[in-house]
Amino acid sequence: MITFEEAFSRILHHCRPLPSERVCLSDSLNRVLACDVYATDDLPPFDASAADGYAVSSADLLEASPEDPVAFRLQDIVVAGSRSSVALEKRATARILTGAPVPDGADCVVMQEYVETRPGEVVFVAPGYPGDNIRRRGSELRAGALALRSGLHISPAGVAMLATLGLGQADVYRRPRIAVMATGSELVAPGQPLLPGQIRDSNSFGLMAAVKALGLQTVRVVTVPDDPALIKNELKLCLDDADVVLISGGVSVGDRDYVKEVALSLGVREVFWRISIKPGKPNFFGVMEGKYLFGLPGNPVASLVSFHLLVRPAIARLMGLIDVLPLRITATLGSELRKKHGRTEFVRAVLASEAQQWIVKPLRAQDSNMMSGLAQATALIVFPLEAEYLAAGGVVEVIPLYWNELR
Ligand code: AMP
Ligand code: MG
């Protein structure tokens, strides 16, 4: 049995980003940039006004004050998308709107709130200074400069930045194809009658939804009884179709747990089996020629928590993300917790903000089969390996449960 940290680092050691592909800008959201991107033009591309006002030469305005106002002739009007054809003359000003190019001869823009207008004339009551209210050409980036680095997780702001740089397409890492296989002779799909001894198959649906929440698709979802020949056939098909195969159940030490031996017989190399965590002890991870196999626990809570803590970072790394460590914050524990030492526990909890502090309250229903707790949980409290007691009011580490985030 290995620790959670060891399992995590072994997974990351084996998962390499998939090859890149070119997608159109509108499909680049939530993907990871596969190359550095350089600016082809200066950004901003010209000196632009940052306000609605009047463009002037600051040298002509040095003396202006409320007692000594200075009147300028209104020479021109420049709006965004247009430009002045002639330079400003002495003691002349141009009406200018936000985003319009600053005319030649002007080095500052005075906001319209600080002038008085008369027909054909503008009166300034305060001095202006060079650069006032002007966004300088190239002040953000020079043509040829590095704008975005490979490995960037493309957020809506990332999409906007690619658009700003003029790119209609982006090179991003390919998304993994994922197959889900639930094993268990007791499983019945929702909507079917439940016969004695049977239970509903929730893992197929939970894992499929977890994949979907990350913006990915499952290429194959199957339920298989505990029969080694059938498991082998289905697993072969899954390994053919997918980059990542998620199997639930049949990976523990029971007489009917065939997943591990079937996987090994197909040429999957074991990276680890069993982790000192709760929920999620019977976890198997194996690799085969660029394919990744997760043998997840059958217990539904353990299966989804393992997905969140181990599979999601693997998927993020395959998609090209560099930092995939799940985000952890600290919070005040709402009620005391006890456990045995020797395993890290992830306690389902609700995270709330009270008096500008994070408070985390453990939920009841903590057994590995009790989905009601996980369905309400918004966080997992990390109960460290060797600890046996966490006092109410103490500070604990918490992993927020954002199912739709890559980390
Ligand atoms: P196993 O790891 O196959 O021994 O399964 C552990 C427990 O999880 C058993 O109580 C199974 O009935 C249950 N289980 C296994 N697979 C599923 C599933 N797909 N949906 C819901 N419960 C499951
Ligand atoms: Mg089973």
Side-chain angles (χ1 to χ4, degrees), residues 124-199:
F124 295 85
V125 294
Y129 299 95
D132 277 2
N133 299 306
I134 293 177
R135 300 174 185 146
R136 284 275 173 227
R137 172 178 184 157
S139 57
E140 184 174 359
L141 283 172
R142 285 285 178 200
L146 179 62
L148 297 173
R149 278 185 197 283
S150 178
L152 178 85
H153 182 201
I154 304 175
S155 66
V159 176
M161 186 59 196
L162 290 166
T164 303
L165 292 165
L167 294 175
Q169 296 176 316
D171 290 331
V172 296
Y173 292 102
R174 184 165 76 67
R175 282 187 286 217
R177 291 183 291 259
I178 301 180
V180 172
M181 211 175 128
T183 70
S185 301
E186 73 278 33
L187 302 178
V188 184
Q192 304 282 88
L194 206 54
L195 301 178
Q198 295 184 325
I199 60 159

Side-chain angles (χ1 to χ4, degrees), residues 224 233 386:
V224 202
N233 276 344
E386 291 310 330

Side-chain angles (χ1 to χ4, degrees), residues 182-183 186-187 199-203 248-250 257 298-300:
T183 70
E186 73 278 33
L187 302 178
I199 60 159
R200 306 262 184 231
D201 167 20
S202 61
N203 288 348
S248 90
D257 290 338
N299 271 312

Side-chain angles (χ1 to χ4, degrees), residues 224-383:
V224 202
D226 295 309
D227 175 322
L230 293 177
I231 294 175
K232 188 166 184 168
N233 276 344
E234 278 304 334
L235 181 54
K236 223 187 281 177
L237 295 172
C238 287
L239 286 167
D240 281 346
D241 286 357
D243 303 294
V244 178
V245 181
L246 309 178
I247 307 188
S248 90
V251 78
S252 196
V253 291
D255 295 346
R256 293 290 163 91
D257 290 338
Y258 300 117
V259 166
K260 187 170 162 260
E261 77 186 51
V262 167
L264 299 179
S265 79
L266 284 172
V268 171
R269 271 191 306 122
E270 176 179 331
V271 175
F272 63 73
W273 180 48
R274 298 200 292 171
I275 316 173
S276 49
I277 58 173
K278 188 187 172 195
K281 179 169 95 174
N283 253 291
F284 173 86
F285 178 60
V287 292
M288 190 182 97
E289 296 148 26
K291 309 272 181 177
Y292 306 89
L293 175 79
F294 287 88
L296 302 171
N299 271 312
V301 171
S303 179
L304 272 181
V305 168
S306 302
F307 180 96
H308 199 263
L309 297 174
L310 299 169
V311 179
R312 191 181 57 135
I315 288 174
R317 179 54 64 82
L318 295 177
M319 287 179 68
L321 218 65
I322 297 162
D323 187 4
V324 299
L325 214 63
L327 181 73
R328 289 187 184 201
I329 62 169
T330 51
T332 304
L333 186 60
S335 58
E336 65 173 19
L337 288 171
R338 290 173 198 279
K339 73 161 174 67
K340 294 195 205 107
H341 68 88
R343 65 188 182 204
T344 305
E345 290 198 11
F346 298 96
V347 181
R348 282 142 269 163
V350 171
L351 193 59
S353 135
E354 284 174 18
Q356 307 192 3
Q357 262 197 27
W358 289 115
I359 306 282
V360 68
K361 295 176 182 163
L363 287 155
R364 298 176 60 228
Q366 290 289 338
D367 287 351
S368 290
N369 58 318
M370 295 182 174
M371 190 51 72
S372 55
L374 188 59
Q376 296 168 66
T378 55
L380 297 171
I381 299 166
V382 183
F383 199 159

